[in-house]
Amino acid sequence: MHATFILCGGFILYFLFYKLYGSYLQKRIVGREDQPPPAIRLQDNIDFVPTNKYVLFGHHFASIAGAAPIVGPVIALIWGWLPALLWIWIGNVFMGATHDYLSLMASVRYDGHSIQWIAGKVIKKRTGYFFAWFILFVLILLVAAFGAILGKIFVAKPQVPSTYFLQIVAALILGVLLYRLRTHFWLATLMGIGMLIGAIILGMYFPISAGYKTWMLVFFFYIIVAASLPVHVLLQPRDYLNAWLLVAGLILGGLAVLFSFKKITLFAFTSFNVPLIAHRPTPFWPVIPLIIACGSLSGFHALVGSGTTSKQLSKEIEGLFIGYGSMLTEGFLSTLVVAVVSAYGLNVLAPDIAIDLKTNAFTFAQHYGKAINSAGGPVGFFSKAYGLAVHSVLGLPKEFVTILAAMWVASFAMTTLDTTNRLARYTLTEICEPLKESLPFVFQFITNRWTASLIPAAIGIGLAWTGAWSIIWPAFGGANQMLASIALMTVSAWVIRVQKKSGWVCLIPALFLWITVTLAIGWYLFVAVPVFMTKNPAQAYTLGIIILIMLFLDFLLIYDFFKPTRPELPNV
């Protein structure tokens, strides 16, 4: 098998599914709505802003991408490239893209409300309430984790923060060009891309060095401002520029793989059980969703789609391009990651490590984790393989392309950090809704956009500052995919009970995912957590309690789904 065929197969698959399956979902499930979307009806030029579909695609895609479409597939190659690729493709087109698109459109039909708010309406009120608190916990944990990860990157690579801050300046200028000066869209885009290239070049020559805690303070103030400012001033144009960075990377990497005809050197399949989580034999199913998230399916996407994107959609018909299309693009990125690492990965490792991996499938599975670490972790491993591929085929300088690939990850992680704080602000506001009439002053104070941004930022960055986030972070994979399961169940309820349509396209994936994630979380509780007990009992008990709460919510969801409170069904 050649990497070229994998890439071509992925492109054809995604193109066909977008044209056929996506159109089916749009015409038969979502249908047309005569009413203008909330961005038009509720326009406030802060959160509700009608947006050009290409800008919104970039904003949505940059927010959902993060580092996960790269990290997950690289780790999952321990089972072999074929099972990793199959999960990316099948999960992406049948679960992930459907989940993202329907979450977005259900939110559009409910004035841009979040997926957890919709769960309270179409399933049961208590479902939405528990769901909202759980999501707030996950979002704060994300702020902590991405803050810590970025802090370490900024300390290790001083070129990244200088590039990023110059990107912010470029984004502010682009926002003025688009919304104040009303510059022609494509002219403004070209100017923005020019400024982006300038930021990357200048960032390499003028690095900014600072300590970890200094960056934590910077992040704390930055994400409060980013989450509170009108979305089209900074976040939207910044994400749009970042999307072009990714497009450039996809084109360069895609062309390199397309014309390489490089043979895959990793094993197609190693074993069903591999030493992965807590160094225990980890079964491909049901654990795979906890390893490959964004490239295949991620609950965080439903929060973005129903949080910020639904408030900016100018026309309902553009929801397919943005919600479904972004997820397929992310799947294609993960496909490229699998192709590049499978073909070039062994060439960037030390010779003795590469020889070990070539021995046989069993040895490969035993030594693969160590090999990734020797190359700088999943991001470093991919960046080096990507740099080698582009250098070998297109002749570009390997060091420059390697740094460019690392900048992708840092840029997308930063978009996830500040978008997450904005989503936490929305979630906190919805949780406080019961106070609106009983305690109006308290409600107004907490839901003020600056206050509501400060609260999750303070807790999240506080966890990053102390390092406490790392104790509970191992629970995030299960929590994120449980969110996906709840979101799919919610949109299934919306399709069946409100849209009055056959919901098999989302209900079957939802039930499959619920079973898979429930078993995976159970496996983690009984197999992985006891390993933590021998090393760090406090962490093991904390994780055990969190997982038990997650399982309680999981079973509550499935009970409420099949026993809904019918009078709460809205008439939409």
Side-chain angles (χ1 to χ4, degrees):
M1 175 65 77
H2 290 78
T4 303
F5 297 137
I6 290 179
L7 195 74
C8 291
F11 182 81
I12 293 169
L13 178 85
Y14 289 127
F15 178 78
L16 289 177
F17 266 87
Y18 180 80
K19 286 294 183 184
L20 301 177
Y21 199 63
S23 296
Y24 170 80
L25 292 174
Q26 184 183 49
K27 293 175 183 174
R28 303 292 182 185
I29 303 298
V30 174
R32 297 294 297 272
E33 172 65 44
D34 296 332
Q35 196 172 210
I40 304 289
R41 287 185 286 109
L42 306 174
Q43 182 174 355
D44 62 2
N45 289 327
I46 295 174
D47 297 317
F48 292 86
V49 182
T51 303
N52 178 287
K53 69 176 183 179
Y54 298 110
V55 175
L56 187 54
F57 181 94
H59 175 53
H60 180 81
F61 181 72
S63 299
I64 66 172
I70 295 171
V71 173
V74 171
I75 296 174
L77 288 172
I78 192 171
W79 283 291
W81 64 262
L82 186 58
L85 193 64
L86 289 176
W87 178 255
I88 290 168
W89 285 356
I90 295 172
N92 186 274
V93 298
F94 289 114
M95 288 187 283
T98 302
H99 162 277
D100 289 18
Y101 174 53
L102 294 183
S103 297
L104 167 63
M105 297 314 297
S107 175
V108 168
R109 296 287 169 85
Y110 287 106
D111 291 344
H113 277 294
S114 66
I115 192 71
Q116 60 269 25
W117 187 94
I118 297 169
K121 296 296 178 186
V122 300
I123 298 180
K124 193 172 277 189
K125 189 175 181 180
R126 70 178 182 188
T127 313
Y129 189 71
F130 284 121
F131 193 7
W133 277 105
F134 180 65
I135 284 173
L136 185 61
F137 163 75
V138 171
L139 290 172
I140 289 174
L141 183 57
L142 270 175
V143 169
F146 276 86
I149 292 167
L150 279 165
K152 291 174 183 174
I153 293 176
F154 277 25
V155 171
K157 295 184 182 299
Q159 298 90 348
V160 175
S162 53
T163 299
Y164 188 76
F165 291 127
L166 289 169
Q167 261 186 277
I168 289 178
V169 175
L172 291 170
I173 295 172
L174 180 61
V176 171
L177 290 172
L178 288 172
Y179 292 102
R180 291 290 181 88
L181 303 180
R182 303 289 178 185
T183 308
H184 187 278
F185 176 73
W186 290 112
L187 176 60
T189 297
L190 286 175
M191 293 171 71
I193 293 172
M195 289 188 287
L196 176 64
I197 294 171
I200 294 172
I201 295 172
L202 285 174
M204 290 183 179
Y205 287 103
F206 298 99
I208 301 175
S209 296
Y212 176 79
K213 291 192 174 178
T214 302
W215 288 125
M216 289 302 104
L217 282 174
V218 172
F219 292 163
F220 171 68
F221 290 108
Y222 167 72
I223 61 177
I224 292 173
V225 173
S228 305
L229 283 176
V231 70
H232 59 296
V233 171
L234 173 59
L235 292 193
Q236 197 189 79
R238 192 279 318 275
D239 292 351
Y240 180 52
L241 289 180
N242 270 346
W244 278 107
L245 183 63
L246 180 76
V247 168
L250 276 174
I251 291 173
L252 283 178
L255 288 175
V257 173
L258 185 66
F259 294 109
S260 69
F261 292 99
K262 182 90 162 70
K263 192 174 180 181
I264 297 293
T265 50
L266 299 192
F267 290 98
F269 176 73
T270 59
S271 169
F272 183 74
N273 278 300
V274 295
L276 183 56
I277 297 179
H279 304 294
R280 303 292 297 171
T282 306
F284 177 77
W285 189 89
V287 179
I288 183 64
L290 274 56
I291 304 300
I292 298 181
C294 284
S296 177
L297 169 81
S298 169
F300 179 69
H301 296 188
L303 307 185
V304 175
S306 67
T308 178
T309 308
S310 61
K311 297 177 177 65
Q312 301 171 66
L313 193 70
S314 294
K315 299 174 185 173
E316 280 205 2
I317 199 167
E318 294 173 353
L320 182 70
F321 172 69
I322 293 159
Y324 199 79
S326 289
M327 189 57 197
L328 296 191
T329 306
E330 197 167 21
F332 184 70
L333 169 61
S334 289
T335 302
L336 177 67
V337 171
V338 170
V340 167
V341 175
S342 298
Y344 289 91
L346 293 182
N347 299 95
V348 301
L349 297 173
D352 57 329
I353 296 176
I355 289 171
D356 278 347
L357 294 185
K358 290 176 183 175
T359 305
N360 55 52
F362 176 80
T363 306
F364 177 90
Q366 296 296 316
H367 293 195
Y368 182 67
K370 183 181 174 184
I372 292 178
N373 291 333
S374 74
V379 173
F381 192 26
F382 165 73
S383 299
K384 290 175 181 175
Y386 176 90
L388 177 61
V390 174
H391 170 71
S392 304
V393 180
L394 303 181
L396 294 178
K398 189 164 64 176
E399 283 300 315
F400 172 77
V401 180
T402 303
I403 291 174
L404 186 67
M407 280 185 175
W408 277 10
V409 181
S411 298
F412 280 88
M414 199 70 187
T415 62
T416 302
L417 173 66
D418 47 33
T419 298
T420 298
N421 204 50
R422 197 176 190 90
L423 295 173
R425 166 165 79 83
Y426 296 152
T427 304
L428 189 60
T429 300
E430 289 183 348
I431 287 174
C432 291
E433 272 191 6
L435 302 175
K436 196 171 186 177
E437 294 184 359
S438 57
L439 294 169
F441 173 75
V442 175
F443 174 78
Q444 286 176 6
F445 175 73
I446 295 178
T447 59
N448 174 281
R449 55 192 163 107
W450 293 95
T451 312
S453 300
L454 185 148
I455 293 171
I459 301 172
I461 297 299
L463 289 170
W465 179 288
T466 60
W469 68 276
S470 61
I471 294 176
I472 49 180
W473 180 248
F476 174 74
N480 182 45
Q481 298 305 62
M482 204 185 88
L483 284 182
S485 169
I486 297 173
L488 260 178
M489 297 296 278
T490 300
V491 296
S492 299
W494 173 66
V495 168
I496 295 168
R497 294 168 188 161
V498 180
Q499 294 291 90
K500 307 294 183 188
K501 306 282 186 181
S502 170
W504 64 268
V505 291
C506 44
L507 185 57
I508 292 175
L511 291 174
F512 172 75
L513 187 66
W514 185 88
I515 293 169
T516 301
V517 172
T518 303
L519 290 174
I521 293 174
W523 177 89
Y524 193 86
L525 177 65
F526 292 109
V527 178
V529 170
V531 177
F532 291 105
M533 189 67 76
T534 60
K535 299 177 181 175
N536 188 339
Q539 181 182 32
Y541 282 117
T542 305
L543 288 175
I545 292 169
I546 292 173
I547 291 170
L548 285 173
I549 293 172
M550 286 163 53
L551 286 171
F552 168 76
L553 290 174
D554 208 30
F555 282 97
L556 182 71
L557 161 78
I558 204 73
Y559 176 81
D560 286 352
F561 180 82
F562 288 105
K563 294 285 186 182
T565 305
R566 295 191 180 281
E568 293 180 1
L569 291 180
N571 183 22
V572 174

